[in-house]
Amino acid sequence: NAGVTQTPKFRILKIGQSMTLQCAQDMNHNYMYWYRQDPGMGLKLIYYSVGAGITDKGEVPNGYNVSRSTTEDFPLRLELAAPSQTSVYFCASSDSSGPTDTQYFGPGTRLTVL
Amino acid sequence: AQSVTQLDSQVPVFEEAPVELRCNYSSSVSVYLFWYVQYPNQGLQLLLKYLSGSTLVKGINGFEAEFNKSQTSFHLRKPSVHISDTAEYFCAVRKGGTSYGKLTFGQGTILTVHP
């Protein structure tokens, strides 16, 4: 199993450009999450999904959109990139939402907006 | 709402020395507690978790943590560290009974092990 994969690893965007961060998992997990990690700030939840076709906002959703058309994929869309979106983005998945569930993280996408 | 405070942003230590990474949380309801580790240029992986029962939890790579409800703490310890333990460590909390696995993370502690 590859686990959780993310592409690209690195990206530089200009202000106002848009892009999609890809996330895929091969563990047949229903739950998927997008986090951003800013230095000294820990991880903040952007969006999450409890299954194909079902998504909801997390703590910091502004400026982002998501979709979940399949169990495997959970892309994150940035429209009109801003310097405040410079961050490291992590995708994660879990088998359930129960207290014993473990979230498995991808390697991250490092995004810089100039 | 829950919050997590990791009391040290950086902890330098020599190889084979003991280490403690401190984590305090606040919540008005019961919580589940987690420690994750992030090695350089990698994603996070679970070290250990406290759900219920014994307050001393053992995890991977020789780490353990103790849940202290009265002090609302969940400190991570290792009696003898290795160079390979150099990483960033995150404490996280999840409200008991919450659906959708929402985790609240602390700010992270960078552990640097020197030879």
Side-chain angles (χ1 to χ4, degrees), chain A residues 25-40:
Chain A
Q25 52 93 7
D26 62 358
M27 297 174 282
N28 201 33
H29 286 170
N30 283 324
Y31 296 82
M32 297 188 74
Y33 315 84
W34 273 106
Y35 294 90
R36 58 176 288 171
Q37 182 185 25
D38 300 317

Side-chain angles (χ1 to χ4, degrees), chain A residues 23 29-36 44-61 64-71 73-76 90-94 96-97 101 103, chain B residues 94 98-103:
Chain A
C23 173
H29 286 170
N30 283 324
Y31 296 82
M32 297 188 74
Y33 315 84
W34 273 106
Y35 294 90
R36 58 176 288 171
K44 303 286 187 187
L45 183 64
I46 305 171
Y47 270 96
Y48 63 95
S49 169
V50 303
I54 307 170
T55 63
D56 205 349
K57 296 177 181 178
E59 195 179 350
V60 289
Y64 306 95
N65 278 300
V66 294
S67 60
R68 183 100 181 267
S69 56
T70 66
T71 299
D73 300 298
F74 189 41
L76 177 72
F90 289 101
C91 179
S93 72
S94 64
S96 71
S97 66
D101 78 304
Q103 293 189 19
Chain B
R94 182 170 171 220
T98 301
S99 60
Y100 311 138
K102 291 181 186 177
L103 289 168

